[in-house]
Amino acid sequence: MFAPRTVLAVLLACVVGTVAAPAASAASPVPVVFDGDSDFADIATLAYLCQAHEQRRIDLRAVTVTNNGAGTPGRALTHVRTALAKCGLSGIPVADGSDTGVNPMPADGRAWTESILTGALGDAGVPDRPSKVRASTLLAATVLKSAKPVVVIATGPLTNVAKAMDVPGVAQRISRLAVMGGAFDVPGNLFGPGAEKFDGTQEVNMWLDPASADKVFAGIRRVDIVPLDATNDVPITPSYVERLGREGRTAEAKLVHAIVTQPDLTPYIKDGSAFWWDTLASSEVLDDVSPVKLRKAKVDVRQDGAAAGRTYVTPKGTSQNVGYDADPVAWENGFLKMLNG
């Protein structure tokens, strides 16, 4: 009988095959796995990471999708495949599938996300194809196969990361986990039917699966949390949307511009309630251009009651790096510079 690591290595070989990696150089780029729920900010983040991969800032090894977040199961993975193809990286391994979280994503949130991404990507007629393995299996296998410790960027509920950690050795091989999630000194952003049952302190990603968040924060040696406290500093502004359209040159920049000009998103940009949530968290990984300030804090996650999913600082928590501030000018300039190559 194979040990778990051996089984995962075999599965990865079957799923990945021989995937084109960036050309070799003296400085080997950091291996990255991107895990998200395929909302509009995730796909914009994926475009950003594709350019970082092409520029050898990172080595994007795999993209995994949670099915208990903002994306519609099946369609969420299709959108990831479409975006990768538009960026010229269709060979990157992808997978979806995740356990159900504690709290369900509101159906109207999923419909809104689907409308934006279908419009931006033009893939309404593309049939959904199930992945060959589950997302947590691909994530774990990719981490264990890498000769270097892997950075994981997680911008949805942490269900897949928590499940991957059940495989021996995975948590120890993740050098850093960059998370978009949580709210500490600002209000949360719950919405939809049932939100009135909670006290409004929760950020959606943490609320969807607080048990997985708690497990991940306690089990990975370095977690950088980019909460609403930081992302509230980087709204998507109409002037920046215009700048993207005017200055964006690459396929990745044009893809992001197509997303942020969708009719269903435009009203939220105009009223200041749409933010670069996931893209800010991913930029934090690129230290020399990071617009996020981090500080150490001991963090815990409420598991039940009206505050379920709330992230808070407590002496009994686990030590994390928490982002409290972001520089919007540095963010906008760095984001466009990366998108344009």
Side-chain angles (χ1 to χ4, degrees):
M1 184 174 183
F2 289 120
R5 180 166 178 155
T6 304
V7 171
L8 285 166
V10 171
L11 280 172
L12 187 65
C14 293
V15 174
V16 176
T18 56
V19 178
S25 73
S28 179
V30 60
V32 168
V33 174
F34 177 44
D35 179 76
D37 58 354
S38 198
D39 65 8
F40 82 85
D42 278 297
I43 301 302
T45 300
L46 182 56
Y48 174 83
L49 294 176
C50 285
Q51 259 299 331
H53 176 88
E54 291 167 11
Q55 296 175 40
R56 293 193 53 78
R57 300 294 299 279
I58 65 171
D59 180 2
L60 185 60
R61 298 286 181 87
V63 180
T64 53
V65 180
T66 61
N67 278 339
N68 55 352
T72 301
R75 295 298 300 159
L77 184 61
T78 296
H79 294 324
V80 165
R81 286 180 171 135
T82 301
L84 285 170
K86 286 180 178 291
C87 296
L89 293 174
S90 57
I92 299 288
V94 298
D96 69 345
S98 55
D99 297 331
T100 302
V102 173
N103 296 300
M105 185 71 187
D108 57 349
R110 282 185 164 173
W112 181 70
T113 295
E114 178 62 24
S115 174
I116 292 169
L117 291 182
T118 298
L121 295 168
D123 59 357
V126 177
D128 300 333
R129 293 183 291 113
S131 56
K132 295 181 180 179
V133 297
R134 288 175 64 83
S136 59
T137 301
L138 176 61
L139 197 161
T142 304
V143 168
L144 292 177
K145 184 179 176 65
S146 176
K148 295 172 61 177
V150 174
V151 171
V152 176
I153 299 170
T155 57
L158 293 172
T159 315
N160 287 336
V161 180
K163 186 71 173 178
M165 287 169 57
D166 290 340
V167 178
V170 167
Q172 294 74 24
R173 296 290 299 165
I174 296 175
S175 61
R176 187 198 308 193
L177 175 68
V179 173
M180 191 282 118
F184 291 86
D185 297 326
V186 298
N189 61 351
L190 289 193
F191 66 94
E196 70 280 356
K197 299 177 183 177
F198 299 90
D199 64 8
T201 61
Q202 306 90 336
E203 180 276 329
V204 171
N205 287 339
M206 299 295 99
W207 171 80
L208 288 168
D209 193 352
S212 288
D214 189 55
K215 176 180 176 180
V216 168
F217 290 169
I220 293 178
R221 57 185 171 181
R222 176 176 175 179
V223 180
D224 295 353
I225 303 172
V226 180
L228 298 182
D229 306 65
T231 62
N232 284 354
D233 293 335
V234 288
I236 305 174
T237 64
S239 62
Y240 191 62
V241 171
E242 291 177 6
R243 183 181 173 191
L244 281 170
R246 185 175 63 251
E247 300 180 20
R249 298 189 303 269
T250 63
E252 290 84 359
K254 294 180 187 301
L255 173 54
V256 174
H257 185 254
I259 292 170
V260 295
T261 52
Q262 287 301 302
D264 281 349
L265 182 55
T266 297
Y268 298 91
I269 294 175
K270 288 182 177 179
D271 71 14
S273 60
F275 299 85
W276 295 108
W277 293 286
D278 305 335
T279 43
L280 182 69
S282 69
S283 73
E284 186 275 328
V285 169
L286 303 172
D287 287 333
D288 60 334
V289 297
S290 175
V292 183
K293 295 179 181 178
L294 300 172
R295 67 182 184 219
K296 287 285 186 183
K298 290 191 173 181
V299 175
D300 206 350
V301 184
R302 297 283 186 198
Q303 295 300 303
D304 49 36
R310 177 189 176 190
T311 49
Y312 65 104
V313 175
T314 170
K316 296 182 180 180
T318 57
S319 183
Q320 316 294 351
N321 301 309
V322 178
Y324 281 90
D325 295 292
D327 182 335
V329 175
W331 152 250
E332 290 183 349
N333 291 337
F335 184 51
L336 182 56
K337 182 178 179 180
M338 180 67 77
L339 286 175
N340 273 337

